[in-house]
């Protein structure tokens, strides 16, 4: 499991894309045919990032959060 976050002040600089490419390359070297990602539905930037890279929603999880 790998969790990747890019701080808002650093977004748009290609950091997320570079990390994504490295993750995909590493998964390929391990022989992994697919990747699974969890994206916070309340993060439009995260959803857009995933969709732009061809990820599709296959299910949803519900989490109780204390606010």
């Amino acid at each position: 499991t790998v969790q990747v976050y890019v701080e808002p002040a650093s977004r748009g600089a290609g950091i997320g894309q570079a990390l994504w490419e490295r993750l995909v390359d590493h998964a390929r070297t391990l022989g992994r045919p697919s990747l699974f990602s969890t994206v916070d539905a309340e993060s439009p930037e995260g959803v857009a990032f995933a969709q732009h890279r061809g990820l599709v929603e296959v299910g949803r999880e519900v989490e109780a959060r204390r606010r």
Side-chain angles (χ1 to χ4, degrees):
T1 300
V2 176
Q3 293 183 349
V4 179
Y5 300 93
V6 177
E7 290 291 327
S10 299
R11 293 181 185 157
I15 296 168
Q17 179 63 31
L19 290 168
W20 176 255
E21 289 173 3
R22 180 67 179 105
L23 253 166
V24 170
D25 289 345
H26 186 64
R28 283 187 184 130
T29 64
L30 296 175
R32 304 289 185 203
S34 61
L35 295 173
F36 176 81
S37 177
T38 301
V39 179
D40 186 344
E42 296 181 18
S43 169
E45 297 93 346
V47 172
F49 183 89
Q51 289 174 339
H52 183 74
R53 281 147 190 88
L55 280 82
V56 295
E57 184 176 319
V58 295
R60 290 186 180 226
E61 294 181 6
V62 178
E63 177 181 336
R65 295 183 184 180
R66 293 184 183 177
R67 293 189 187 246

